């Protein structure tokens, strides 16, 4: 085997290790998002924090090979990114990068969060949810609109609870509101779901399909 052949083989091997590292990293991120989306109540908080930590990492070391990973890749690898006008393409990576753990969960569950209110004696979870909504609204990902209808429903719930001598620790609702995804918010949510779908499909592929895909990658790198 000539020196040139050995050098080419090492280059191909290094590229393969980078691909494997990136694939493993992506699969872990996608599985975390999958658990978050499927509402595993005990895991959601930890997985949300894990998601943010992973998306803030630009590189990591493995097998003595440095593989780069950036949040931009989440946006740019999704079908929705390709269909967006230029100005929206610039916004999508920035919007994803701005998310924090609690905001990710809050964004994914917009419209499925029950009656949203600011209570007289709100507990920590309620306060954190409200502040997350405020940040998402300030970033232009959701809208927050006051709702007298929701407030009336919550006041009735409180009245009925007190009539039955049931606990009502949060006091009266000071204000209530409804949230809705904006166009930018829908783009972010769609991008995350599409990224998850692609990664989960790859992670659950049959061994034969995985081997075929690996051989194709090696062949492409050798060209």
């Amino acid at each position: 085997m000539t020196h040139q052949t050995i050098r080419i083989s090492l280059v191909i091997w290094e590229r393969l290790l980078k691909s494997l590292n990136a694939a493993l990293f992506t699969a872990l991120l996608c599985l975390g998002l999958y658990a978050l989306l499927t509402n595993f109540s005990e895991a959601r908080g930890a997985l949300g924090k894990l998601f943010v930590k992973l998306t803030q990492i630009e590189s990591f070391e493995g097998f003595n090979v440095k593989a780069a990973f950036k949040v931009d890749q989440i946006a740019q690898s999704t079908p929705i990114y390709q269909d967006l006008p230029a100005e929206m393409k610039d916004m999508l990576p920035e919007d994803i990068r701005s998310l924090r753990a609690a905001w990710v969960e809050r964004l994914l569950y917009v419209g499925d969060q029950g009656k949203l209110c600011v209570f007289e004696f709100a507990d920590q979870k309620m306060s954190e949810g409200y502040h997350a909504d405020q940040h998402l609204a300030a970033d232009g990902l959701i809208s927050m609109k006051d709702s007298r209808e929701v407030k009336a429903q919550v006041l009735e719930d409180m009245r009925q609870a007190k009539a039955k001598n049931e606990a009502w620790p949060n006091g009266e609702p000071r204000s209530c509101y409804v949230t809705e995804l904006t166009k930018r918010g829908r783009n972010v949510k769609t991008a995350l779901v599409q990224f998850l779908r692609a990664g989960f499909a790859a992670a659950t592929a049959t061994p034969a399909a995985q081997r075929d895909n690996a051989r194709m990658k090696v062949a492409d790198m050798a060209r």
Side-chain angles (χ1 to χ4, degrees), residues 34-45 47 109:
Y34 176 75
L36 186 65
L37 284 170
T38 49
N39 196 19
F40 292 150
S41 58
E42 295 182 356
R44 287 190 308 175
L47 287 169
Y109 286 96

Side-chain angles (χ1 to χ4, degrees), residues 183-202:
K183 186 174 182 179
R184 285 170 60 187
R186 285 194 297 273
N187 290 341
V188 171
K189 181 176 180 179
T190 301
L192 293 177
V193 172
Q194 288 179 344
F195 183 77
L196 160 67
R197 181 180 63 190
F200 189 72

Side-chain angles (χ1 to χ4, degrees), residues 67-142:
F69 182 89
K70 296 182 179 180
V71 174
D72 294 20
Q73 295 173 355
I74 296 178
Q76 295 170 4
S77 65
T78 58
I80 188 176
Y81 180 83
Q82 310 305 324
D83 297 332
L84 291 175
E87 64 275 12
M88 298 299 288
K89 282 186 177 180
D90 293 336
M91 290 180 181
L92 185 56
E94 292 297 329
D95 287 339
I96 294 177
R97 189 180 294 109
S98 71
L99 293 174
R100 295 183 182 177
W103 307 354
V104 172
E105 181 177 358
R106 205 72 179 176
L107 180 71
L108 293 175
Y109 286 96
V110 166
D112 190 28
Q113 297 165 327
K115 301 167 184 174
L116 302 175
C117 297
V118 179
F119 285 94
E120 184 180 8
F121 305 115
D123 59 26
Q124 182 177 354
K125 184 177 180 181
M126 290 178 176
S127 297
E128 289 176 351
Y130 176 64
H131 291 311
D133 288 342
Q134 286 183 311
H135 282 290
L136 291 171
D139 288 344
L141 302 183
I142 69 170

Side-chain angles (χ1 to χ4, degrees), residues 138-211:
D139 288 344
L141 302 183
I142 69 170
S143 63
M144 296 175 65
K145 298 179 181 178
D146 289 336
S147 175
R148 295 182 179 180
E149 181 181 356
V150 173
K151 185 174 182 179
Q153 292 173 359
V154 174
L155 286 171
E156 178 61 20
D157 292 342
M158 181 180 69
R159 187 191 66 78
Q160 292 184 12
K162 290 183 176 181
K164 298 176 183 177
N165 292 321
E166 295 176 350
W168 189 269
N170 300 315
E172 293 189 10
R174 293 176 174 173
S175 63
C176 296
Y177 61 97
V178 293
T179 59
E180 185 178 354
L181 289 170
T182 63
K183 186 174 182 179
R184 285 170 60 187
R186 285 194 297 273
N187 290 341
V188 171
K189 181 176 180 179
T190 301
L192 293 177
V193 172
Q194 288 179 344
F195 183 77
L196 160 67
R197 181 180 63 190
F200 189 72
T204 57
T206 63
Q210 291 175 347
R211 287 195 298 270

Side-chain angles (χ1 to χ4, degrees), residues 8-20 209-223:
I8 293 174
S9 298
L10 290 175
V11 169
I12 294 174
W13 176 246
E14 181 179 353
R15 289 179 180 178
L16 178 60
L17 287 178
K18 288 182 179 180
S19 297
L20 290 174
Q210 291 175 347
R211 287 195 298 270
D212 291 342
N213 189 44
R215 283 196 291 267
M216 291 176 62
K217 288 183 178 179
V218 172
D220 289 341
M221 288 187 293
R223 292 174 183 173

